[in-house]
Amino acid sequence: MITARPRGTADVLPDDAGRWRHVEETFRQICREYNYQEIRTPVFEHTELFERGVGDTTDIVEKEMYTFRDRGDRSVTLRPEGTAPVARAYLENRLNAGPQPVKLYYTGPMFRYDRPQAGRYRQFHQLGAEVLGSDDPAVDAELIAMAMDFYGRLGLRDLDLHINSVGCPRCRSELRLRLREFFRPVHDKLCVNCRGRLDKNPLRVLDCKVERCDELAGNAPTTIDCLCPDCEKHFGRVKACLEGLGIPFTVNGRLVRGLDYYTHTAFEVMVPDIGAQSSIGGGGRYNGLVEALGGPPTPGVGYALGVERIILTMERQGAPFPARNRPDVFVAAADPSGEEKAFGVLFALRAEGLSADKDYLGRSLKAQMKLAGRIGCRFVVILGGDELKRGAAAVRDMAGGSQVELRLEGLSREIKKWGLGIRD
């Protein structure tokens, strides 16, 4: 018998599903208010999409992707992130031919082979938003403000917003030269991964989580040191917009994010005490991504927020979650002869908009009442022989303990009135 789930995955059980639904529905609501439209992309894509879009020197492509060959001998990959698939869909479906910018959001599972720990899974879930077709710094600020608004509605507090500009390709070329020169004397002290990064993509050394690399990078040149005038202007405008909205932030010159497609703005939202990874979301601008996928030069900016880490943070901070959904009504047959009528009443109540359930294990009336209490029903409709002859049922308020007889005709209306405290 197989009783263990794959390592790095988790079951979302009924007691927890309401928390997930609360987070997702809050996100969907804020996307509606900010005029973002939903997009759904496949959970697997051609491997080349991520090699070209994410970058073949990133940890994701080099170490973390779930890649396999299908029956047609094509290399496909379970999506490790959502931005590249959105950019691919934008091109393939000619969304660039319509009104610009295109504002999209998505939810769903992502897959990365990594060492599982608190808040980090091999199948994890993200909420993401992307804007394609505008280079306006105000869009960067809108997305950041939208993310912070979302966290606030969930009741999260003590969040640290870090922002940076990683510049344009010209700025980054200058930074690469400076970083190679800076790290050359301490090359042998870097971790094995960073020694390789120094030649291929030295910006990734700034993002290394190994303690000795972090210490060695303490005084390294940053992206801020190498910004060209245009990039400085863009970043200044982003900061001004955030300040105008009253959103506090920290400029972190070592924030480079982990993907190659970022240009200009990068941001990350940090919270303490959620394990080794303190980030619960982040993103930035990626003006070169669509072009890297074979499309025309197209500006883009977006973010991804981790659902598991958000819920973990809410739990640790004591943020409010909605109560688990409970049925409004339990329909109980006093004896087996009333089972058929109970089944019909059950569906009649549902058709009138009430959440209702009944017993399916042949329990006694006493056991049915206990079950109704355990699952949290507010009302129990008791169908006894005498009441049925009168075309009525006994209805008990499980909260107050009172009981009345109500006619079956119009039963749902009477129950709703009773639930609102309206009695004739």
Side-chain angles (χ1 to χ4, degrees), residues 90-91 96 287 289-292 294-299:
Y90 172 84
L91 279 175
N96 56 336
N287 288 356
L289 176 58
V290 173
E291 191 173 2
T298 305

Side-chain angles (χ1 to χ4, degrees), residues 31-50:
C31 286
R32 283 192 290 270
E33 294 173 10
Y34 281 65
N35 193 33
Y36 285 68
Q37 306 299 314
E38 185 175 14
I39 186 171
R40 302 191 184 199
T41 63
V43 294
F44 64 91
E45 300 268 2
H46 295 298
T47 302
E48 185 184 11
L49 172 67
F50 302 110

Side-chain angles (χ1 to χ4, degrees), residues 286 359 396:
Y286 46 85
D359 170 55
R396 181 174 298 180

Side-chain angles (χ1 to χ4, degrees), residues 84 87 99 191 265 277 353 367 388 396 400:
C191 72
T265 308
Q277 301 296 315
L388 287 175
R396 181 174 298 180

Side-chain angles (χ1 to χ4, degrees), residues 186-315:
V186 294
H187 177 274
D188 293 341
K189 296 181 181 180
L190 296 172
C191 72
V192 174
N193 287 337
C194 283
R195 292 174 201 169
R197 289 168 177 160
L198 203 55
D199 291 327
K200 297 179 181 178
N201 189 355
L203 273 72
R204 297 287 289 112
V205 180
L206 300 178
D207 196 39
C208 183
K209 302 301 186 291
V210 176
E211 185 175 353
R212 69 175 182 271
C213 294
D214 185 59
E215 292 174 354
L216 291 170
N219 295 317
T222 68
T223 57
I224 298 293
D225 301 323
C226 302
L227 293 183
C228 68
D230 287 344
C231 290
E232 283 186 350
K233 182 179 179 181
H234 187 106
F235 192 43
R237 178 63 179 151
V238 172
K239 291 186 289 185
C241 287
L242 294 175
E243 289 166 352
L245 294 172
I247 298 174
F249 58 85
T250 299
V251 176
N252 179 355
R254 290 179 56 188
L255 176 62
V256 297
R257 305 288 294 157
L259 309 179
D260 280 358
Y261 52 57
Y262 284 104
T263 58
H264 296 297
T265 308
F267 76 92
E268 205 157 312
V269 181
M270 314 283 194
V271 64
D273 304 325
I274 62 167
Q277 301 296 315
S278 61
S279 172
I280 58 171
R285 183 162 283 281
Y286 46 85
N287 288 356
L289 176 58
V290 173
E291 191 173 2
L293 300 182
T298 305
V301 60
Y303 63 69
L305 316 178
V307 178
E308 286 86 352
R309 293 187 189 182
I310 289 171
I311 292 175
L312 179 60
T313 304
M314 292 178 70
E315 291 171 345

